[in-house]
Amino acid sequence: MPLIKTTAMFKKAYDGGFAIGAFNVNNMEIVQGITSAAAELNSPVILQCSAGARKYANSRYLVHLVKAALEVNDIPIALHLDHGPDYATCKSCIDDGFTSVMFDGSHYSFQENIEKTREVVEYAHAHNVVVEAELGQLAGVEDDVNVSAEHAHYTKPEEVEEFVSKTGCDSLAIAIGTSHGAFKFKPEQCTRNADGVLVPPELRFDVLAEIEKKIPGFPIVLHGASSVIPKYVKIINDNGGKLDDAIGIPEDQLRKAAKSAVCKINIDSDLRLAMTAGIREHFMAHPEHFDPRQYIAPGRDYIKELVMHKIKTVLGSENSAADIMALVNEY
Ligand code: G3H
Ligand code: 13P
Ligand code: ZN
């Protein structure tokens, strides 16, 4: 089956109260770990590449790695540009065979964001590619865009209807309290639960509900949605790493989001932590090893374990692959 757009995936996810995982890929082992997990659970998956990933690996390598994953695994896969910074990058991905692009105009004024997004939508739709846009700003590093916590702001529900209709975008990334990276909250922003675990402030589900009311049926995207799983942070720290106070979004909140209009949940930091944990653990146990296959494979295994966990307990997308494949011809 060829790469597909996200349209059928989002239709099924919206109607079925689940979300599709969008995982960042930078090399072969990451692609393999994610797609073998999705295949084992009959789940669709979105593989996304940032501008940084394209620079690191070369876009053509990434496209072919993802196409190889499609040949090996019988599941629906979309190839998406994450945080496209400008028209030229979006056009280059569309020309390269991506089926979905994000244009991130969130740091522009409302009007400029509309105009620039619209330009990308026109080129994308003419080439049968869908577009994710962003309104509101998340804190953290978004490729070339580095937003400090004080400049981040929530999406304004009163703006979404006009933005979606004027841009013609196919999905909308919103800001409701998530942020990029493995250090999403400071410990002093959190409370401790009965087990002594730091719990960050709740996402703004009230803002999400307002947005849903303004654009019913429209797919919403959540960026910065890694949960920073303590197991992998502990393995890293127990094996020579130093990640103090890494805090993510609690999984019960992500599960709640996945049941709403949120159809795409972006995960990158959790993959980085899982791979690093596998490699560090291996090196500590086997300091004599120097064959990259020996130490990268455990990183790939942890990525697979992590993605299976996400699909089963956060996203809820398992066993929806066949239904989505059946819908693809309609969209
Ligand atoms: O949102 C950002 C993603 O985690 C991609 O990060 O630009 O370092 O590839 P990157
Ligand atoms: P995390 O840093 O929370 O994994 O977010 C990734 C992301 O939003 C990619 O666009
Ligand atoms: Zn993002």
Side-chain angles (χ1 to χ4, degrees), residues 42-85:
N42 294 311
S43 170
V45 73
I46 299 169
L47 300 179
Q48 55 186 14
C49 308
S50 67
R54 294 178 82 231
K55 197 166 151 196
Y56 170 77
N58 181 322
S59 187
R60 300 304 306 157
Y61 277 92
L62 293 173
V63 169
H64 285 286
L65 284 172
V66 170
K67 287 190 173 165
L70 262 182
E71 283 178 26
V72 174
N73 303 288
D74 191 22
I75 47 166
I77 300 179
L79 175 56
H80 173 77
L81 166 66
D82 190 27
H83 294 287

mmCIF file of all heavy atoms in Angstrom, residues 42-85:
data_model
loop_
_atom_site.group_PDB
_atom_site.id
_atom_site.type_symbol
_atom_site.label_atom_id
_atom_site.label_comp_id
_atom_site.label_asym_id
_atom_site.label_seq_id
_atom_site.Cartn_x
_atom_site.Cartn_y
_atom_site.Cartn_z
ATOM 1 N N ASN A 42 -1.568 -3.673 14.829
ATOM 2 C CA ASN A 42 -2.491 -3.274 13.750
ATOM 3 C C ASN A 42 -2.935 -1.830 13.880
ATOM 4 O O ASN A 42 -4.125 -1.507 13.776
ATOM 5 C CB ASN A 42 -3.714 -4.203 13.722
ATOM 6 C CG ASN A 42 -3.322 -5.600 13.348
ATOM 7 O OD1 ASN A 42 -2.612 -5.801 12.364
ATOM 8 N ND2 ASN A 42 -3.718 -6.570 14.159
ATOM 9 N N SER A 43 -1.972 -0.974 14.111
ATOM 10 C CA SER A 43 -2.278 0.448 14.306
ATOM 11 C C SER A 43 -1.732 1.284 13.158
ATOM 12 O O SER A 43 -0.629 1.036 12.663
ATOM 13 C CB SER A 43 -1.631 0.921 15.612
ATOM 14 O OG SER A 43 -1.704 2.329 15.717
ATOM 15 N N PRO A 44 -2.481 2.321 12.756
ATOM 16 C CA PRO A 44 -1.914 3.293 11.814
ATOM 17 C C PRO A 44 -0.874 4.128 12.537
ATOM 18 O O PRO A 44 -0.867 4.176 13.780
ATOM 19 C CB PRO A 44 -3.117 4.176 11.459
ATOM 20 C CG PRO A 44 -3.988 4.094 12.676
ATOM 21 C CD PRO A 44 -3.806 2.703 13.231
ATOM 22 N N VAL A 45 -0.023 4.788 11.772
ATOM 23 C CA VAL A 45 0.986 5.630 12.413
ATOM 24 C C VAL A 45 1.380 6.777 11.474
ATOM 25 O O VAL A 45 1.335 6.627 10.256
ATOM 26 C CB VAL A 45 2.207 4.763 12.840
ATOM 27 C CG1 VAL A 45 3.050 4.328 11.647
ATOM 28 C CG2 VAL A 45 3.071 5.465 13.859
ATOM 29 N N ILE A 46 1.725 7.906 12.070
ATOM 30 C CA ILE A 46 2.265 9.029 11.296
ATOM 31 C C ILE A 46 3.746 9.118 11.629
ATOM 32 O O ILE A 46 4.124 9.177 12.803
ATOM 33 C CB ILE A 46 1.550 10.354 11.669
ATOM 34 C CG1 ILE A 46 0.057 10.263 11.354
ATOM 35 C CG2 ILE A 46 2.198 11.537 10.919
ATOM 36 C CD1 ILE A 46 -0.778 11.400 11.928
ATOM 37 N N LEU A 47 4.579 9.085 10.600
ATOM 38 C CA LEU A 47 6.016 9.285 10.797
ATOM 39 C C LEU A 47 6.326 10.706 10.352
ATOM 40 O O LEU A 47 5.982 11.105 9.236
ATOM 41 C CB LEU A 47 6.813 8.263 9.986
ATOM 42 C CG LEU A 47 6.535 6.802 10.351
ATOM 43 C CD1 LEU A 47 7.354 5.858 9.486
ATOM 44 C CD2 LEU A 47 6.811 6.521 11.834
ATOM 45 N N GLN A 48 6.925 11.476 11.253
ATOM 46 C CA GLN A 48 7.157 12.879 10.894
ATOM 47 C C GLN A 48 8.628 13.246 10.989
ATOM 48 O O GLN A 48 9.368 12.742 11.829
ATOM 49 C CB GLN A 48 6.283 13.809 11.750
ATOM 50 C CG GLN A 48 6.416 13.665 13.246
ATOM 51 C CD GLN A 48 5.400 14.526 13.993
ATOM 52 O OE1 GLN A 48 4.436 15.032 13.412
ATOM 53 N NE2 GLN A 48 5.607 14.713 15.287
ATOM 54 N N CYS A 49 9.027 14.147 10.080
ATOM 55 C CA CYS A 49 10.417 14.597 10.007
ATOM 56 C C CYS A 49 10.437 16.107 10.189
ATOM 57 O O CYS A 49 9.699 16.827 9.517
ATOM 58 C CB CYS A 49 11.000 14.312 8.623
ATOM 59 S SG CYS A 49 10.790 12.620 8.081
ATOM 60 N N SER A 50 11.289 16.581 11.056
ATOM 61 C CA SER A 50 11.469 18.027 11.228
ATOM 62 C C SER A 50 12.470 18.528 10.182
ATOM 63 O O SER A 50 13.145 17.720 9.515
ATOM 64 C CB SER A 50 12.009 18.309 12.629
ATOM 65 O OG SER A 50 13.331 17.790 12.728
ATOM 66 N N ALA A 51 12.596 19.847 10.084
ATOM 67 C CA ALA A 51 13.622 20.412 9.203
ATOM 68 C C ALA A 51 14.995 19.926 9.664
ATOM 69 O O ALA A 51 15.872 19.623 8.852
ATOM 70 C CB ALA A 51 13.542 21.936 9.228
ATOM 71 N N GLY A 52 15.170 19.805 10.987
ATOM 72 C CA GLY A 52 16.440 19.321 11.532
ATOM 73 C C GLY A 52 16.714 17.876 11.143
ATOM 74 O O GLY A 52 17.857 17.505 10.851
ATOM 75 N N ALA A 53 15.667 17.063 11.132
ATOM 76 C CA ALA A 53 15.820 15.660 10.722
ATOM 77 C C ALA A 53 16.221 15.574 9.258
ATOM 78 O O ALA A 53 17.084 14.777 8.879
ATOM 79 C CB ALA A 53 14.515 14.906 10.952
ATOM 80 N N ARG A 54 15.612 16.425 8.432
ATOM 81 C CA ARG A 54 15.935 16.414 6.995
ATOM 82 C C ARG A 54 17.373 16.849 6.761
ATOM 83 O O ARG A 54 18.056 16.356 5.871
ATOM 84 C CB ARG A 54 14.972 17.314 6.225
ATOM 85 C CG ARG A 54 13.535 16.791 6.239
ATOM 86 C CD ARG A 54 12.613 17.749 5.511
ATOM 87 N NE ARG A 54 12.641 17.585 4.076
ATOM 88 C CZ ARG A 54 12.831 18.554 3.210
ATOM 89 N NH1 ARG A 54 13.068 19.777 3.614
ATOM 90 N NH2 ARG A 54 12.810 18.317 1.911
ATOM 91 N N LYS A 55 17.816 17.770 7.605
ATOM 92 C CA LYS A 55 19.196 18.243 7.462
ATOM 93 C C LYS A 55 20.168 17.141 7.922
ATOM 94 O O LYS A 55 21.197 16.892 7.301
ATOM 95 C CB LYS A 55 19.364 19.489 8.332
ATOM 96 C CG LYS A 55 20.554 20.327 8.010
ATOM 97 C CD LYS A 55 20.409 21.681 8.700
ATOM 98 C CE LYS A 55 21.768 22.257 9.014
ATOM 99 N NZ LYS A 55 21.692 23.329 9.984
ATOM 100 N N TYR A 56 19.809 16.475 9.015
ATOM 101 C CA TYR A 56 20.677 15.443 9.592
ATOM 102 C C TYR A 56 20.813 14.240 8.653
ATOM 103 O O TYR A 56 21.916 13.759 8.374
ATOM 104 C CB TYR A 56 20.109 14.994 10.951
ATOM 105 C CG TYR A 56 20.794 13.772 11.523
ATOM 106 C CD1 TYR A 56 22.047 13.881 12.131
ATOM 107 C CD2 TYR A 56 20.203 12.507 11.446
ATOM 108 C CE1 TYR A 56 22.686 12.767 12.635
ATOM 109 C CE2 TYR A 56 20.834 11.388 11.952
ATOM 110 C CZ TYR A 56 22.073 11.515 12.549
ATOM 111 O OH TYR A 56 22.710 10.411 13.049
ATOM 112 N N ALA A 57 19.647 13.740 8.197
ATOM 113 C CA ALA A 57 19.656 12.449 7.492
ATOM 114 C C ALA A 57 19.600 12.587 5.979
ATOM 115 O O ALA A 57 19.871 11.614 5.269
ATOM 116 C CB ALA A 57 18.473 11.603 7.955
ATOM 117 N N ASN A 58 19.196 13.777 5.496
ATOM 118 C CA ASN A 58 18.911 14.012 4.086
ATOM 119 C C ASN A 58 17.495 13.501 3.809
ATOM 120 O O ASN A 58 17.182 12.328 4.003
ATOM 121 C CB ASN A 58 19.939 13.325 3.179
ATOM 122 C CG ASN A 58 19.679 13.589 1.689
ATOM 123 O OD1 ASN A 58 18.535 13.628 1.262
ATOM 124 N ND2 ASN A 58 20.736 13.764 0.932
ATOM 125 N N SER A 59 16.652 14.394 3.321
ATOM 126 C CA SER A 59 15.234 14.075 3.120
ATOM 127 C C SER A 59 15.023 12.797 2.303
ATOM 128 O O SER A 59 14.145 11.984 2.604
ATOM 129 C CB SER A 59 14.544 15.257 2.434
ATOM 130 O OG SER A 59 13.166 15.053 2.383
ATOM 131 N N ARG A 60 15.850 12.591 1.282
ATOM 132 C CA ARG A 60 15.652 11.418 0.417
ATOM 133 C C ARG A 60 15.845 10.109 1.195
ATOM 134 O O ARG A 60 15.144 9.134 0.968
ATOM 135 C CB ARG A 60 16.608 11.425 -0.792
ATOM 136 C CG ARG A 60 16.484 12.626 -1.711
ATOM 137 C CD ARG A 60 15.076 12.811 -2.253
ATOM 138 N NE ARG A 60 14.525 11.637 -2.903
ATOM 139 C CZ ARG A 60 13.227 11.390 -3.055
ATOM 140 N NH1 ARG A 60 12.336 12.234 -2.576
ATOM 141 N NH2 ARG A 60 12.803 10.317 -3.669
ATOM 142 N N TYR A 61 16.827 10.087 2.088
ATOM 143 C CA TYR A 61 17.007 8.892 2.924
ATOM 144 C C TYR A 61 15.749 8.642 3.756
ATOM 145 O O TYR A 61 15.288 7.507 3.871
ATOM 146 C CB TYR A 61 18.198 9.055 3.873
ATOM 147 C CG TYR A 61 19.540 8.732 3.256
ATOM 148 C CD1 TYR A 61 20.306 9.713 2.653
ATOM 149 C CD2 TYR A 61 20.031 7.428 3.288
ATOM 150 C CE1 TYR A 61 21.535 9.420 2.094
ATOM 151 C CE2 TYR A 61 21.265 7.127 2.734
ATOM 152 C CZ TYR A 61 22.014 8.120 2.136
ATOM 153 O OH TYR A 61 23.231 7.814 1.587
ATOM 154 N N LEU A 62 15.221 9.718 4.337
ATOM 155 C CA LEU A 62 14.061 9.536 5.213
ATOM 156 C C LEU A 62 12.863 9.014 4.421
ATOM 157 O O LEU A 62 12.160 8.098 4.857
ATOM 158 C CB LEU A 62 13.730 10.853 5.933
ATOM 159 C CG LEU A 62 14.800 11.305 6.934
ATOM 160 C CD1 LEU A 62 14.496 12.696 7.476
ATOM 161 C CD2 LEU A 62 14.923 10.316 8.107
ATOM 162 N N VAL A 63 12.641 9.599 3.233
ATOM 163 C CA VAL A 63 11.515 9.154 2.404
ATOM 164 C C VAL A 63 11.664 7.663 2.081
ATOM 165 O O VAL A 63 10.718 6.879 2.209
ATOM 166 C CB VAL A 63 11.431 9.989 1.101
ATOM 167 C CG1 VAL A 63 10.442 9.369 0.108
ATOM 168 C CG2 VAL A 63 11.063 11.434 1.407
ATOM 169 N N HIS A 64 12.858 7.249 1.714
ATOM 170 C CA HIS A 64 13.046 5.844 1.331
ATOM 171 C C HIS A 64 12.996 4.906 2.538
ATOM 172 O O HIS A 64 12.515 3.771 2.424
ATOM 173 C CB HIS A 64 14.327 5.672 0.516
ATOM 174 C CG HIS A 64 14.161 6.185 -0.884
ATOM 175 N ND1 HIS A 64 13.436 5.521 -1.840
ATOM 176 C CD2 HIS A 64 14.574 7.333 -1.469
ATOM 177 C CE1 HIS A 64 13.418 6.224 -2.963
ATOM 178 N NE2 HIS A 64 14.107 7.326 -2.760
ATOM 179 N N LEU A 65 13.471 5.367 3.680
ATOM 180 C CA LEU A 65 13.361 4.536 4.886
ATOM 181 C C LEU A 65 11.893 4.294 5.219
ATOM 182 O O LEU A 65 11.481 3.176 5.567
ATOM 183 C CB LEU A 65 14.033 5.238 6.081
ATOM 184 C CG LEU A 65 15.557 5.209 6.118
ATOM 185 C CD1 LEU A 65 16.081 6.097 7.246
ATOM 186 C CD2 LEU A 65 16.050 3.769 6.311
ATOM 187 N N VAL A 66 11.100 5.360 5.094
ATOM 188 C CA VAL A 66 9.675 5.225 5.412
ATOM 189 C C VAL A 66 8.990 4.339 4.370
ATOM 190 O O VAL A 66 8.144 3.495 4.713
ATOM 191 C CB VAL A 66 9.023 6.627 5.521
ATOM 192 C CG1 VAL A 66 7.515 6.525 5.608
ATOM 193 C CG2 VAL A 66 9.592 7.371 6.748
ATOM 194 N N LYS A 67 9.374 4.476 3.122
ATOM 195 C CA LYS A 67 8.785 3.603 2.093
ATOM 196 C C LYS A 67 9.192 2.141 2.318
ATOM 197 O O LYS A 67 8.406 1.223 2.085
ATOM 198 C CB LYS A 67 9.177 4.080 0.697
ATOM 199 C CG LYS A 67 8.418 5.355 0.338
ATOM 200 C CD LYS A 67 8.578 5.730 -1.115
ATOM 201 C CE LYS A 67 7.647 6.907 -1.450
ATOM 202 N NZ LYS A 67 7.973 7.549 -2.716
ATOM 203 N N ALA A 68 10.397 1.919 2.788
ATOM 204 C CA ALA A 68 10.827 0.543 3.105
ATOM 205 C C ALA A 68 9.977 -0.012 4.246
ATOM 206 O O ALA A 68 9.565 -1.186 4.215
ATOM 207 C CB ALA A 68 12.307 0.535 3.491
ATOM 208 N N ALA A 69 9.679 0.841 5.222
ATOM 209 C CA ALA A 69 8.845 0.387 6.346
ATOM 210 C C ALA A 69 7.461 -0.021 5.856
ATOM 211 O O ALA A 69 6.846 -0.958 6.381
ATOM 212 C CB ALA A 69 8.733 1.493 7.394
ATOM 213 N N LEU A 70 6.978 0.671 4.822
ATOM 214 C CA LEU A 70 5.664 0.333 4.241
ATOM 215 C C LEU A 70 5.693 -1.012 3.546
ATOM 216 O O LEU A 70 4.694 -1.735 3.529
ATOM 217 C CB LEU A 70 5.312 1.371 3.183
ATOM 218 C CG LEU A 70 4.386 2.515 3.538
ATOM 219 C CD1 LEU A 70 4.183 3.362 2.297
ATOM 220 C CD2 LEU A 70 3.056 2.054 4.071
ATOM 221 N N GLU A 71 6.821 -1.331 2.935
ATOM 222 C CA GLU A 71 6.930 -2.623 2.233
ATOM 223 C C GLU A 71 6.966 -3.768 3.236
ATOM 224 O O GLU A 71 6.483 -4.861 2.975
ATOM 225 C CB GLU A 71 8.223 -2.671 1.401
ATOM 226 C CG GLU A 71 8.125 -1.885 0.120
ATOM 227 C CD GLU A 71 9.445 -1.910 -0.655
ATOM 228 O OE1 GLU A 71 10.230 -2.864 -0.490
ATOM 229 O OE2 GLU A 71 9.677 -0.960 -1.422
ATOM 230 N N VAL A 72 7.546 -3.501 4.398
ATOM 231 C CA VAL A 72 7.751 -4.563 5.385
ATOM 232 C C VAL A 72 6.520 -4.736 6.291
ATOM 233 O O VAL A 72 6.241 -5.830 6.766
ATOM 234 C CB VAL A 72 9.005 -4.227 6.238
ATOM 235 C CG1 VAL A 72 9.191 -5.197 7.379
ATOM 236 C CG2 VAL A 72 10.247 -4.205 5.340
ATOM 237 N N ASN A 73 5.800 -3.640 6.517
ATOM 238 C CA ASN A 73 4.674 -3.680 7.469
ATOM 239 C C ASN A 73 3.373 -3.310 6.759
ATOM 240 O O ASN A 73 3.304 -2.276 6.102
ATOM 241 C CB ASN A 73 4.910 -2.674 8.605
ATOM 242 C CG ASN A 73 6.213 -2.938 9.328
ATOM 243 O OD1 ASN A 73 6.334 -3.893 10.064
ATOM 244 N ND2 ASN A 73 7.202 -2.086 9.093
ATOM 245 N N ASP A 74 2.355 -4.132 6.954
ATOM 246 C CA ASP A 74 1.091 -3.905 6.265
ATOM 247 C C ASP A 74 0.174 -3.020 7.125
ATOM 248 O O ASP A 74 -0.840 -3.469 7.658
ATOM 249 C CB ASP A 74 0.439 -5.272 5.986
ATOM 250 C CG ASP A 74 -0.733 -5.144 5.046
ATOM 251 O OD1 ASP A 74 -0.794 -4.137 4.306
ATOM 252 O OD2 ASP A 74 -1.606 -6.032 5.069
ATOM 253 N N ILE A 75 0.548 -1.768 7.260
ATOM 254 C CA ILE A 75 -0.252 -0.822 8.060
ATOM 255 C C ILE A 75 -0.301 0.531 7.325
ATOM 256 O O ILE A 75 0.581 0.825 6.527
ATOM 257 C CB ILE A 75 0.357 -0.590 9.474
ATOM 258 C CG1 ILE A 75 1.865 -0.316 9.381
ATOM 259 C CG2 ILE A 75 0.035 -1.721 10.418
ATOM 260 C CD1 ILE A 75 2.466 0.250 10.643
ATOM 261 N N PRO A 76 -1.322 1.347 7.631
ATOM 262 C CA PRO A 76 -1.372 2.680 6.999
ATOM 263 C C PRO A 76 -0.336 3.610 7.638
ATOM 264 O O PRO A 76 -0.284 3.744 8.864
ATOM 265 C CB PRO A 76 -2.790 3.178 7.313
ATOM 266 C CG PRO A 76 -3.494 2.080 8.023
ATOM 267 C CD PRO A 76 -2.493 1.080 8.482
ATOM 268 N N ILE A 77 0.484 4.224 6.766
ATOM 269 C CA ILE A 77 1.509 5.155 7.245
ATOM 270 C C ILE A 77 1.388 6.463 6.470
ATOM 271 O O ILE A 77 1.258 6.458 5.243
ATOM 272 C CB ILE A 77 2.941 4.578 7.042
ATOM 273 C CG1 ILE A 77 3.102 3.254 7.806
ATOM 274 C CG2 ILE A 77 4.008 5.584 7.485
ATOM 275 C CD1 ILE A 77 4.478 2.586 7.641
ATOM 276 N N ALA A 78 1.443 7.580 7.190
ATOM 277 C CA ALA A 78 1.515 8.905 6.553
ATOM 278 C C ALA A 78 2.895 9.477 6.841
ATOM 279 O O ALA A 78 3.445 9.274 7.930
ATOM 280 C CB ALA A 78 0.432 9.819 7.119
ATOM 281 N N LEU A 79 3.437 10.185 5.850
ATOM 282 C CA LEU A 79 4.744 10.836 6.036
ATOM 283 C C LEU A 79 4.518 12.341 6.099
ATOM 284 O O LEU A 79 3.998 12.947 5.150
ATOM 285 C CB LEU A 79 5.679 10.461 4.876
ATOM 286 C CG LEU A 79 7.047 11.148 4.854
ATOM 287 C CD1 LEU A 79 7.816 10.926 6.149
ATOM 288 C CD2 LEU A 79 7.875 10.648 3.665
ATOM 289 N N HIS A 80 4.913 12.925 7.223
ATOM 290 C CA HIS A 80 4.517 14.308 7.546
ATOM 291 C C HIS A 80 5.739 15.175 7.847
ATOM 292 O O HIS A 80 6.692 14.725 8.499
ATOM 293 C CB HIS A 80 3.601 14.225 8.784
ATOM 294 C CG HIS A 80 3.208 15.532 9.381
ATOM 295 N ND1 HIS A 80 2.252 16.357 8.838
ATOM 296 C CD2 HIS A 80 3.638 16.152 10.513
ATOM 297 C CE1 HIS A 80 2.109 17.430 9.599
ATOM 298 N NE2 HIS A 80 2.943 17.339 10.618
ATOM 299 N N LEU A 81 5.702 16.416 7.380
ATOM 300 C CA LEU A 81 6.728 17.396 7.765
ATOM 301 C C LEU A 81 6.308 18.041 9.081
ATOM 302 O O LEU A 81 5.209 18.598 9.181
ATOM 303 C CB LEU A 81 6.866 18.484 6.685
ATOM 304 C CG LEU A 81 7.641 19.743 7.109
ATOM 305 C CD1 LEU A 81 9.119 19.418 7.382
ATOM 306 C CD2 LEU A 81 7.520 20.844 6.053
ATOM 307 N N ASP A 82 7.184 17.968 10.079
ATOM 308 C CA ASP A 82 6.897 18.537 11.398
ATOM 309 C C ASP A 82 7.468 19.959 11.460
ATOM 310 O O ASP A 82 8.644 20.169 11.148
ATOM 311 C CB ASP A 82 7.581 17.630 12.449
ATOM 312 C CG ASP A 82 7.181 17.957 13.863
ATOM 313 O OD1 ASP A 82 6.080 18.480 14.071
ATOM 314 O OD2 ASP A 82 7.989 17.657 14.778
ATOM 315 N N HIS A 83 6.660 20.909 11.873
ATOM 316 C CA HIS A 83 7.099 22.310 12.045
ATOM 317 C C HIS A 83 7.784 22.888 10.808
ATOM 318 O O HIS A 83 8.904 23.417 10.898
ATOM 319 C CB HIS A 83 8.041 22.446 13.255
ATOM 320 C CG HIS A 83 7.354 22.178 14.554
ATOM 321 N ND1 HIS A 83 6.468 23.059 15.125
ATOM 322 C CD2 HIS A 83 7.407 21.118 15.377
ATOM 323 C CE1 HIS A 83 5.996 22.541 16.247
ATOM 324 N NE2 HIS A 83 6.534 21.360 16.425
ATOM 325 N N GLY A 84 7.122 22.779 9.672
ATOM 326 C CA GLY A 84 7.663 23.423 8.470
ATOM 327 C C GLY A 84 7.819 24.920 8.715
ATOM 328 O O GLY A 84 6.852 25.596 9.046
ATOM 329 N N PRO A 85 9.041 25.448 8.591
ATOM 330 C CA PRO A 85 9.252 26.859 8.947
ATOM 331 C C PRO A 85 8.850 27.845 7.855
ATOM 332 O O PRO A 85 8.617 29.015 8.144
ATOM 333 C CB PRO A 85 10.766 26.937 9.198
ATOM 334 C CG PRO A 85 11.356 25.821 8.383
ATOM 335 C CD PRO A 85 10.302 24.748 8.266
#
